[in-house]
Amino acid sequence: MTAEKHNFDAYAFSKRKDYDEAAIRAEFAKAVPLRTVVVYCYDPRATGIPNAVASEFGETFPGEVLLSETGDKAASTATVFEVVVAGGRAYDALRSITVAQHLFGIENVVIVHHSHCGATSFTADGIVEAHRHEHGADISDVYPRASICIGDYTESLQHDVRLVRESKGTPPHVDIYGYFYDIDTEQLTRVVHDPAPRD
Ligand SMILES: [Zn+2]
């Protein structure tokens, strides 16, 4: 690997001379009114999902970027953030959920799996075997088996809602949902709802 030498320090909050981690965090929380993290597939046919979720929950997406007095992009009106990963499987989104809570605070996590998804076209055994054959590497213990593909939509949504709920990185106060999205009709169907435990 080669890397050109550059200095990007001016763009990093933590490199500022007056860096104050707690103060920066408070500024971030004010800059974005985030409420909902939506996890969905990177299939280009699925790009309507965040808008559909915003309508379903009465939220703002993509919203507008707001400028500072000096003209820099400083804030946003979006209340929905996207985590876009293969199949919309929650395993790939766990760290992003933790970070979203830390910086902005969240109330909902919405997992969406879509019709005719490529993740339903292969099996865990099939991809492990193909990778061994084509790339000479064993990935059988690299990813949890139940998170590799989608065999059954109801099961995959139930699995992912449970995975998010049981992750130590998920704040206990969030409501978690699993939806099926039809890419042709652009309709969402709620399959799972796991409300936060209230006391
Ligand atoms: Zn897909």
Side-chain angles (χ1 to χ4, degrees):
M1 191 176 87
T2 60
E4 300 274 328
K5 194 164 167 49
H6 294 285
N7 187 339
F8 299 113
D9 290 358
Y11 303 98
F13 291 99
S14 62
K15 297 275 192 181
R16 287 179 178 174
K17 283 207 171 57
D18 60 350
Y19 172 61
D20 175 338
E21 183 167 351
I24 289 277
R25 188 180 177 205
E27 262 182 55
F28 267 74
K30 270 190 285 180
V32 177
L34 183 62
R35 285 166 37 87
T36 297
V37 169
V38 55
V39 182
Y40 69 98
C41 185
Y42 58 17
D43 184 330
R45 300 171 301 163
T47 53
I49 288 174
N51 273 309
V53 168
S55 310
E56 172 90 358
F57 286 76
E59 305 225 25
T60 305
F61 180 87
E64 285 170 47
V65 172
L66 305 174
L67 302 180
S68 70
E69 285 165 11
T70 53
D72 296 327
K73 292 177 184 172
S76 160
T77 62
T79 65
V80 174
F81 273 17
E82 310 157 272
V83 181
V84 186
V85 297
R89 298 307 310 267
Y91 175 74
D92 302 84
L94 297 177
R95 188 187 63 89
S96 297
I97 291 166
T98 304
V99 173
Q101 169 61 30
H102 181 70
L103 291 181
F104 309 108
I106 55 172
E107 295 167 29
N108 309 298
V109 174
V110 182
I111 314 291
V112 186
H113 296 165
H114 71 88
S115 60
H116 309 299
C117 184
T120 66
S121 73
F122 62 91
T123 62
D125 285 343
I127 196 171
V128 167
E129 203 38 58
H131 196 87
R132 191 189 337 260
H133 182 67
E134 292 162 19
H135 308 291
D138 179 7
I139 57 166
S140 58
D141 58 0
V142 175
Y143 315 106
R145 209 165 178 77
S147 292
I148 290 181
C149 58
I150 295 175
D152 177 283
Y153 284 106
T154 302
E155 278 173 22
S156 63
L157 286 167
Q158 285 173 336
H159 175 278
D160 282 7
V161 166
R162 196 165 54 240
L163 185 74
V164 172
R165 177 62 74 203
E166 289 175 357
S167 166
K168 286 183 203 163
T170 301
H173 68 263
V174 296
D175 291 333
I176 309 172
Y177 300 84
Y179 278 85
F180 175 81
Y181 177 79
D182 184 318
I183 55 169
D184 293 305
T185 64
E186 304 188 343
Q187 290 298 305
L188 283 172
T189 304
R190 186 185 291 189
V191 179
V192 191
H193 177 207
D194 179 4
R198 319 267 178 214
D199 43 29

